[in-house]
């Protein structure tokens, strides 16, 4: 038997597993593997014969053109008929092609004989209609991909005409572009029934895969695996990732129909396949694709490949000069950067990007003139463009001008945000706008509806006059350019522009630096976010107190809310936020460590948008392990019902890896709920060891797949053992939990009050008004007379307090110094409280010892002995910090009064006694 497959180097482990599975069933089979970007490992010779691309596509010019205009998937499928031609010419025997991610499980001898008799052997994607039930794999999806699945094809002698026709089409037309009716090599085979002799295999055991499991029941039998009762001959693991073993296929999208948790035989099949891949050398990351960059390191992206193909087709059809030869990188980059003939304001590359994206064509339908300027503005400032466009192909641009005198506007604030969206950033916009209105600050609200979250919040937006002198845009840095474009023109050209940003890792990515060119200053909710933003941008960053909306729960029983009786731990999160950052799986593990099944407490995970991320939802379901005391509830609730759910719990828990603020934590504390949370990031602005239960953590790096957070950035890894001990501590010590809950409620109501937010906005509006005044004309320089003898040195006399008030610069400098001192004291305070939190009532959880439980008892006793000293040090730091902050507040008030003092509006007697 002759069989073959095609891989890039990173897929060689798949080829090894395929070859081994075929040889196990058919020991006399010969397997050939074509490696499109290099050579196989010499040790693979015992399993299969390997070929290089130049042994199949022998014309060097054609080979280089194909490797440049096709990506790895397109190239690997485009060369399929060329490989089959070579193997048929070598032996004149039938050849069976299998994709490398296929495992042979039973005899395929019948397919080999069928190819010898009928020439072309094909397997259709499905043998019966797919249910129209709303999942992403549907009849329409198969219609786009083609009737037949080319993970398998058999060809025999006499198919040379078919292979010539097929290879001729794939030479230039093997695109992955379903919207244009092309899906690599597959759609071309829809012609076969009308053009060539063939056989269609309707055996459900052949080419079973995620797209046809609605009709094929995979089961385990004493002799192996079966499909609909018959032998499962080969299974196609298309889209299966051994590093994400709970998902059958990534190609099922966010709403997979087939779930491994519901298919035990498939689960066993996938687990075995994952193990074989690892044994064959599979590892995360693997080898990079050999045709992914130019010689100078410039990545060859989708736009470059499509543009080159189009230019090559035009040259071949119309007899024009072809584009420069690929991989002469200096010439090809010059060609891409040259003005586009269709839109001279743009380069060829940027025009090609515009032509490849329907959203850009809708937004900038005529990319010349003013629309060319707008398009170039998007290219310069959009975070996706900054991250994706290769550096050597980016245009030169100018920053937003911020100089000059703007026309005066009424004093007030325009607030733009996702006011009707049920997500955290939308809630912040609503809270800030409401706090400003309650503080009698003129406010105009502008709705931004560009979000995937449900938009059924009852907040009513309206202009209420305006535009005012300041525009606050509540949108994060990654969405900021689009949020600016959504504003009315009057709010983009004339207003002092402020962004309200959140970020959840320790440094804002540099890709978002361009967003700061679109604003004058940034407001953030916490010092954690402020540090992350300041590390990247140079614009002023101010901390705005977030106003807390006191929850208003609707009267409802636990049964009406779907909650069980008994002690309930609760966590709420959004699947559209990163599941790695929110860490519900870590919370499940901590709960499982703390309590045995059925011991009493229940953990409730309340989420939204699970229907948009079924893969992540499946990961949470898999982590539950079938425990009845861990409940996953997904779906939107009315605001008051959501508050009632939180009010009905006994303890709120968040083992997040990072939070920009932690709004649900503050809401739980406002409801006087004991609250457990990771002692890291934005929630530390209102959580202390006195008012909550803080979980120790260790530094960790962001893994791959946590977009928009870049891989390798820093966040926290909570100590799950400590978290488990704290959950048990709260459960077993209700008096201690109630005491901290009462302190927590009092603290958040005070420090997160709307009055504080309104005071901050009022102060910033005043300062911005000063900043926006026209600059005073420079004084006329009068030359001093030349003296015959140098003057005697002037005596230094002490400055009176009146003179000091008349010249505020020293006070301003001192205020800046005290600002820095306050920051340092705050860090010292955090260090002290971090030590203190290890000595709270639940000490034994933090006393691990290599000597086992005797060592733990000794360590716990020692720590209890030093507890009074740690408490004393922490209290001293808090008192020192509070005293310094009071001094700082007095200096800031003096600084705010300096303009009026300078103008002679205040006298010595006008200054209050406590500020003299």
């Amino acid at each position: 038997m002759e069989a073959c497959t095609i891989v890039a180097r990173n897929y060689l482990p798949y080829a090894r597993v395929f070859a081994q599975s075929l040889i196990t069933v058919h020991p006399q089979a010969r397997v050939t593997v074509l490696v499109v970007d290099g050579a196989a490992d010499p040790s693979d010779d015992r399993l299969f014969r390997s070929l290089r691309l130049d042994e199949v596509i022998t014309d060097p010019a054609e080979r280089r053109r194909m490797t440049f205009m096709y990506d790895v998937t397109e190239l690997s499928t485009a060369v399929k008929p060329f490989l089959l031609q070579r193997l048929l010419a070598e032996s004149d025997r039938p050849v069976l092609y299998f994709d490398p991610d296929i495992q042979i499980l039973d005899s395929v001898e019948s397919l080999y004989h069928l190819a010898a008799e009928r020439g072309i052997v094909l397997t259709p994607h499905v043998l019966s209609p797919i249910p129209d039930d709303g999942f992403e794999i549907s009849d329409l999806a198969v219609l786009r991909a083609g009737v037949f699945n080319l993970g398998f094809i058999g060809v025999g002698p006499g198919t040379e005409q078919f292979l010539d026709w097929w290879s001729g089409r794939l030479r230039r037309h093997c695109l992955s572009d379903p919207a244009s009716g092309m899906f690599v090599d597959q759609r071309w085979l829809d012609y076969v029934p009308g053009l060539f002799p063939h056989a269609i295999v309707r055996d459900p055991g052949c080419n079973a895969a995620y797209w046809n499991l609605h009709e094929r029941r995979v089961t385990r039998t004493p002799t192996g695996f079966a499909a609909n009762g018959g032998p499962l001959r080969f299974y196609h693991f298309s889209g299966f990732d051994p590093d994400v073993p709970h998902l059958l296929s990534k190609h099922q999208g966010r709403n997979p129909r087939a779930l491994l948790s519901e298919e035990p035989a498939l689960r066993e099949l996938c687990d075995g396949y994952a193990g074989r891949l690892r044994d064959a050398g599979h590892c995360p990351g693997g080898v990079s694709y050999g045709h992914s960059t130019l010689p100078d390191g410039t990545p060859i992206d989708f736009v470059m490949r499509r543009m080159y193909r189009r230019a090559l087709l035009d040259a071949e059809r119309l007899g024009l000069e072809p584009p420069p030869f690929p991989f002469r990188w200096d010439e090809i980059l010059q060609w891409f950067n040259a003005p586009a003939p269709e839109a001279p304001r743009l380069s060829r590359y940027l025009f090609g990007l515009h032509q490849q994206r329907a959203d850009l064509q809708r937004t900038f339908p005529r990319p010349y003139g003013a629309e060319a300027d707008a398009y170039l503005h998007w290219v310069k400032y959009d975070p996706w463009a900054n991250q994706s466009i290769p550096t050597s192909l980016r245009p030169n641009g100018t920053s937003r001008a911020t100089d000059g005198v703007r026309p005066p506007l009424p004093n007030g604030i325009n607030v733009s945000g996702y006011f009707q969206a049920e997500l955290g950033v939308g809630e912040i916009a609503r809270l800030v706008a409401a706090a400003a209105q309650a503080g009698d600050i003129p406010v105009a609200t502008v709705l931004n509806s560009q979000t995937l979250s449900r938009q059924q919040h009852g907040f009513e937006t309206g202009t209420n006059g305006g535009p005012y002198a300041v525009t606050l845009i509540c949108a994060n840095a990654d969405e900021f350019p689009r949020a600016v474009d959504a504003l009315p023109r009057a709010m983009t050209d004339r207003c002092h522009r402020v962004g309200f940003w959140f970020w959840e890792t320790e440094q804002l990515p540099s890709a978002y630096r361009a967003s700061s060119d679109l604003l004058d200053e940034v407001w953030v909710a916490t010092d954690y976010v402020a540090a992350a933003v300041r590390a990247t941008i140079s614009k002023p960053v101010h901390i705005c107190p977030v106003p807390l909306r006191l929850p208003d729960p609707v009267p409802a029983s636990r049964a009406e809310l779907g909650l069980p009786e008994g002690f309930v731990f609760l966590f709420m999160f959004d699947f559209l936020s990163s599941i790695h950052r929110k860490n519900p799986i870590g919370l499940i593990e901590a709960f499982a460590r703390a309590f045995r099944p059925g011991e009493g407490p229940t953990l409730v995970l309340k989420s939204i948008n699970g229907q948009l991320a079924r893969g992540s939802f499946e990961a949470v379901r898999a982590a539950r392990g079938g425990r009845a005391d861990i409940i996953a509830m997904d779906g939107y609730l009315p605001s008051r019902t959501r508050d009632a759910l939180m009010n009905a719990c006994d303890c709120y828990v968040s083992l997040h890896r990072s939070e920009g603020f932690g709004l649900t934590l503050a809401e739980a504390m406002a409801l006087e709920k004991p609250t457990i949370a990771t002692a890291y990031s934005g929630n530390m602005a209102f959580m202390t060891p006195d008012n909550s239960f803080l979980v120790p953590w260790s530094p960790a790096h962001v893994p791959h797949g946590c977009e928009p957070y870049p891989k390798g950035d820093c966040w926290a890894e909570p100590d799950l053992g400590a978290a488990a001990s704290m959950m048990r501590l709260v459960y077993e010590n209700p008096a201690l939990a109630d005491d901290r809950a009462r302190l927590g409620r009092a603290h958040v109501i005070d420090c997160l009050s709307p009055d504080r937010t309104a005071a901050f906005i009022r102060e910033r509006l005043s300062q911005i008004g000063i900043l926006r005044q026209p600059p005073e004309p420079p004084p006329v320089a009068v030359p001093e007379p030349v003296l015959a003898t140098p003057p005697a040195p002037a005596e230094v006399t002490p400055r009176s307090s009146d003179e000091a008030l008349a010249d505020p610069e020293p006070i301003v400098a001192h205020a800046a110094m005290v600002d820095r001192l306050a920051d340092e004291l705050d860090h010292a305070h955090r260090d002290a409280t971090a030590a203190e939190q290890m000595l709270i009532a639940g000490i034994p959880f933090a006393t691990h010892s290599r000597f086992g439980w005797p060592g733990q008892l000794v360590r716990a006793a020692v720590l209890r002995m030093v507890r009074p000293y740690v408490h004393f040090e922490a209290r001293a730091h808090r008192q020192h910090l509070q005293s310094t902050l009071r001094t700082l507040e007095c200096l800031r008030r003096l600084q705010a009064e300096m303009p009026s003092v300078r103008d002679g509006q205040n006298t010595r007697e006008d200054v209050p006694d406590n500020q003299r």
Side-chain angles (χ1 to χ4, degrees):
M1 179 183 296
E2 188 81 35
C4 64
T5 191
I6 302 172
V7 297
R9 291 174 300 170
N10 66 317
Y11 242 57
L12 277 168
Y14 290 80
R16 294 169 189 141
V17 173
F18 159 70
Q20 184 62 60
S21 69
L22 179 64
I23 293 171
T24 299
V25 177
H26 298 285
Q28 303 304 316
R30 184 179 81 152
V31 180
T32 301
V33 176
L34 170 61
V35 184
V36 298
D37 62 342
D41 192 284
S43 63
D44 291 326
D45 293 343
R46 61 184 178 83
L47 273 178
F48 52 76
R49 174 183 68 154
S50 65
L51 296 175
R52 299 187 309 274
L53 187 61
D54 58 4
E55 298 176 88
V56 175
I57 309 292
T58 56
D59 181 359
E62 182 62 17
R63 184 171 62 251
R64 293 186 180 184
R65 290 188 182 106
M66 291 181 71
T67 56
F68 188 85
M69 68 183 181
Y70 288 147
D71 64 23
V72 59
T73 301
E74 294 167 342
L75 180 65
S76 298
T77 49
V79 299
K80 194 181 299 181
F82 297 92
L83 174 61
L84 294 173
Q85 283 176 319
R86 168 167 175 148
L87 297 180
L88 273 179
E90 285 181 348
S91 65
D92 199 33
R93 293 186 303 171
V95 182
L96 302 182
Y97 169 84
F98 296 90
D99 270 358
D101 51 0
I102 282 176
Q103 182 181 0
I104 307 298
L105 300 163
D106 208 314
S107 173
V108 291
E109 190 76 25
S110 60
L111 302 178
Y112 189 74
H113 294 309
L114 194 60
E117 296 171 5
R118 304 290 296 275
I120 305 171
V121 181
L122 301 172
T123 53
H125 274 104
V126 295
L127 302 175
S128 62
I130 300 176
D132 188 13
D133 51 11
F135 293 111
E136 294 189 24
I137 303 305
S138 62
D139 285 336
L140 185 59
V142 173
L143 192 64
R144 294 191 187 104
V147 173
F148 305 103
N149 179 260
L150 268 294
F152 165 79
I153 184 173
V155 294
T159 58
E160 291 78 10
Q161 182 183 3
F162 157 69
L163 292 175
D164 287 342
W165 169 82
W166 194 24
S167 62
R169 298 301 184 270
L170 298 188
R171 192 182 297 270
R172 296 287 182 269
H173 307 292
C174 187
L175 303 184
S176 180
D177 188 8
S180 299
M182 304 179 73
F183 190 72
V184 290
D185 58 339
Q186 289 187 169
R187 291 299 304 272
W188 293 107
L189 270 292
D190 290 353
Y191 279 104
V192 166
L195 299 179
F196 305 102
H198 67 284
I200 298 176
V201 177
R202 297 185 59 82
D203 182 354
C206 292
N207 217 357
Y210 72 86
W211 54 77
N212 52 35
L213 292 179
H214 69 283
E215 64 186 16
R216 306 184 194 196
R217 180 68 175 171
V218 176
T219 56
R220 190 70 164 93
T221 69
T223 59
F225 290 93
N228 292 356
L232 179 59
R233 302 190 184 281
F234 62 93
Y235 187 87
H236 195 163
F237 290 89
S238 175
F240 175 72
D241 184 349
D243 301 317
V244 190
H246 65 273
L247 287 182
L248 176 63
S249 173
K250 64 183 179 181
H251 300 317
Q252 290 193 95
R254 290 179 175 269
N255 297 293
R257 175 179 287 104
L259 302 176
L260 291 180
S261 60
E262 300 173 355
E263 302 285 348
L266 274 177
R267 176 89 229 187
E268 181 184 352
L269 186 64
C270 290
D271 288 345
Y273 185 66
R276 291 181 178 88
L277 284 176
R278 285 189 284 269
D279 293 342
H282 170 82
C283 60
V287 182
S288 60
Y289 177 49
H291 305 302
S292 61
T293 63
L294 294 173
D296 70 331
T298 298
I300 305 172
D301 67 3
F302 172 82
V303 177
M304 296 167 71
R305 295 187 190 279
R306 288 294 184 264
M307 287 191 66
Y308 187 86
R309 172 183 172 271
R310 172 52 54 194
L312 185 61
L313 283 175
D314 290 343
E316 291 175 345
R317 290 173 177 172
L318 305 175
L320 303 175
E321 182 180 355
F325 197 71
F327 300 104
R328 291 177 184 167
W329 63 271
D330 51 347
E331 295 181 11
I332 199 71
L333 287 178
Q334 290 176 9
W335 185 78
F336 279 119
N337 280 317
E342 302 88 342
R345 293 282 303 280
L346 309 178
S347 68
R348 266 198 183 95
Y349 177 85
L350 294 180
F351 182 75
L353 174 63
H354 178 273
Q355 294 302 104
Q356 292 297 331
R357 288 187 46 170
D359 59 333
L360 294 179
Q361 294 174 39
R362 288 193 298 269
T363 307
F364 314 104
R366 297 171 59 84
Y368 15 81
E371 286 193 11
D373 291 332
Y375 175 51
L376 290 171
H377 175 274
W378 176 87
V379 169
K380 178 172 175 56
Y381 293 115
D382 185 82
W384 180 93
N386 274 273
Q387 289 179 312
S388 303
I389 297 176
T391 302
S392 54
L393 298 175
R394 292 176 187 165
N396 294 323
T398 58
S399 301
R400 170 179 176 242
T402 57
D403 54 351
V405 179
R406 297 170 180 167
L409 289 171
N411 189 32
I413 186 168
N414 314 299
V415 181
S416 168
Y418 308 103
F419 287 108
Q420 295 179 355
E422 297 167 82
L423 77 166
V425 181
E427 180 67 5
I428 293 298
R430 292 188 286 268
L431 292 174
V432 172
Q437 290 172 340
D440 294 326
I441 298 172
V443 178
T445 53
V446 181
L447 175 65
N448 185 347
S449 59
Q450 299 177 1
T451 177
L452 292 176
S453 296
R454 193 178 76 163
Q455 301 190 58
Q456 295 185 15
H457 195 280
F459 188 91
E460 295 185 2
T461 60
T463 58
N464 189 29
Y468 295 111
V470 176
T471 295
L472 176 65
I473 305 168
C474 297
N476 288 330
D478 53 338
E479 295 293 333
F480 199 78
R482 284 178 283 277
V484 171
D485 290 341
L487 290 173
R489 187 62 179 268
M491 293 183 184
T492 58
D493 290 344
R494 302 171 59 195
C495 298
H496 184 94
R497 201 178 302 168
V498 181
F500 205 125
W501 287 2
F502 286 83
W503 190 251
E504 286 81 18
T505 58
E506 293 190 358
Q507 183 167 346
L508 184 72
S510 58
Y512 301 145
R513 186 179 294 123
S515 293
S516 67
D517 292 337
L518 302 176
L519 49 75
D520 297 289
E521 63 181 75
V522 178
W523 294 358
V524 297
T526 63
D527 55 355
Y528 173 80
V529 182
V533 174
R534 285 171 181 152
T536 299
I537 72 170
S538 58
K539 295 295 179 67
V541 179
H542 301 279
I543 300 175
C544 172
V546 171
L548 181 63
R549 175 189 65 87
L550 293 181
D552 181 24
V554 64
S557 67
R558 281 195 168 188
E560 292 171 326
L561 296 170
L563 294 179
E565 297 301 323
F567 197 97
V568 172
F569 292 94
L570 175 67
F571 175 52
M572 296 181 173
F573 67 102
D574 185 348
F575 273 105
L576 293 184
S577 297
S578 169
I579 188 175
H580 296 279
R581 180 174 69 82
K582 293 294 187 179
N583 198 25
I585 294 176
L587 175 55
I588 292 173
E589 182 179 344
F591 180 82
R593 291 189 193 183
F595 305 102
R596 296 185 302 275
E599 188 172 349
T602 301
L603 173 63
V604 175
L605 302 172
K606 174 63 186 71
S607 59
I608 57 175
N609 291 317
Q611 78 283 1
L612 300 178
R614 279 172 55 92
S616 297
F617 195 22
E618 176 72 353
V620 172
R621 291 178 59 184
R624 291 170 53 210
R627 288 190 56 160
D629 55 357
I630 302 177
I631 300 173
M633 304 167 57
D634 187 73
Y636 284 94
L637 295 174
S639 176
R640 296 189 65 199
T641 305
R642 173 188 168 280
D643 292 346
L645 184 68
M646 184 176 286
N647 192 49
C649 79
D650 298 285
C651 179
Y652 190 84
V653 192
S654 173
L655 300 187
H656 57 265
R657 292 186 169 94
S658 181
E659 285 286 0
F661 178 68
L663 187 59
T664 58
L665 289 165
E667 291 173 339
M669 294 172 72
L671 284 170
E672 207 169 303
K673 300 296 174 182
T675 307
I676 301 173
T678 311
Y680 175 82
S681 65
N683 57 298
M684 297 304 291
F686 54 87
M687 300 185 78
T688 70
D690 296 326
N691 64 26
S692 52
F693 297 85
L694 297 176
V695 177
W697 55 276
S698 56
H701 295 289
V702 178
H704 175 73
C706 295
E707 289 75 15
Y709 311 108
K711 178 182 177 182
D713 206 348
C714 296
W715 56 21
E717 188 61 45
D719 185 335
L720 300 186
S725 296
M726 285 187 178
M727 295 172 79
R728 179 162 284 279
L729 178 68
V730 171
Y731 175 62
E732 294 178 347
N733 295 270
L736 173 65
D738 290 345
D739 286 344
R740 294 200 186 177
R742 282 191 292 271
L743 290 174
R745 173 180 168 83
H747 182 71
V748 297
I749 289 177
D750 175 55
C751 72
L752 303 178
S753 71
D755 291 342
R756 288 180 180 264
T757 307
F760 168 83
I761 295 174
R762 193 177 296 107
E763 180 182 357
R764 284 306 306 147
L765 292 181
S766 174
Q767 293 296 320
I768 291 169
I770 296 173
L771 294 175
R772 289 166 53 84
Q773 288 179 356
E776 296 181 2
V780 178
V782 179
E784 296 183 1
V786 178
L787 300 178
T789 58
E795 292 185 6
V796 179
T797 58
R799 289 157 54 95
S800 68
S801 57
D802 290 333
E803 292 170 336
L805 284 174
D807 182 10
E809 282 73 9
I811 294 178
V812 175
H814 185 64
M817 179 192 71
V818 176
D819 271 327
R820 291 193 297 273
L821 177 62
D823 288 339
E824 293 173 4
L825 286 172
D826 188 48
H827 288 302
H829 169 63
R830 287 180 184 276
D831 292 340
T833 54
E836 186 185 22
Q837 74 175 15
M838 298 297 293
L839 300 169
I840 58 176
I843 275 181
F845 70 74
T847 57
H848 305 294
S849 172
R850 59 194 178 101
F851 298 108
W853 65 267
Q856 293 180 12
L857 291 177
V858 173
R859 181 173 293 179
V862 173
L863 290 175
R864 283 195 177 96
M865 291 172 61
V866 302
R867 182 189 302 175
Y869 303 101
V870 176
H871 277 293
F872 176 79
E873 183 181 5
R875 284 195 300 272
H877 275 289
R878 279 195 291 272
Q879 291 171 359
H880 192 185
L881 177 62
Q882 292 167 0
S883 175
T884 304
L885 290 178
R886 284 194 296 270
T887 303
L888 176 60
E889 183 63 28
C890 292
L891 289 168
R892 283 175 175 157
R893 285 199 294 268
L894 281 174
Q895 181 183 358
E897 295 180 2
M898 287 305 101
S900 58
V901 172
R902 240 192 334 261
D903 294 338
Q905 296 172 6
N906 284 353
T907 66
R908 168 74 172 175
E909 289 69 27
D910 295 326
V911 181
D913 291 339
N914 63 350
Q915 295 182 16
R916 290 182 181 176

